[in-house]
Amino acid sequence: MSVQESDIQRTYRLWFEHTRMCEQCKRVTKAVGGCETGRELWGAYRLARIGAPIGLHGGA
């Protein structure tokens, strides 16, 4: 049985996976110092944490 991710889990996973592959994001200690995509993904995670509607490309 598969458990569906919450918006918070999904947005954090997308950001985390991005930071592991992105050379620019690997070198910084805070999300704000990452690349544009990394900052957008982190912003989506922050919105999900407060319960705001989010619209990630390719999200379900």
Side-chain angles (χ1 to χ4, degrees), residues 4-15:
Q4 189 167 350
E5 293 180 310
S6 70
D7 283 342
I8 295 171
Q9 292 169 323
R10 182 174 51 86
T11 54
Y12 185 83
R13 177 182 52 78
L14 290 171
W15 171 79

Side-chain angles (χ1 to χ4, degrees), residues 24-46:
Q24 185 176 348
C25 289
K26 283 181 186 179
R27 294 189 305 257
V28 297
T29 58
K30 294 187 177 188
V32 71
C35 73
E36 183 176 350
T37 300
R39 291 190 309 268
E40 288 175 1
L41 289 167
W42 185 253
Y45 166 69
R46 291 185 67 201

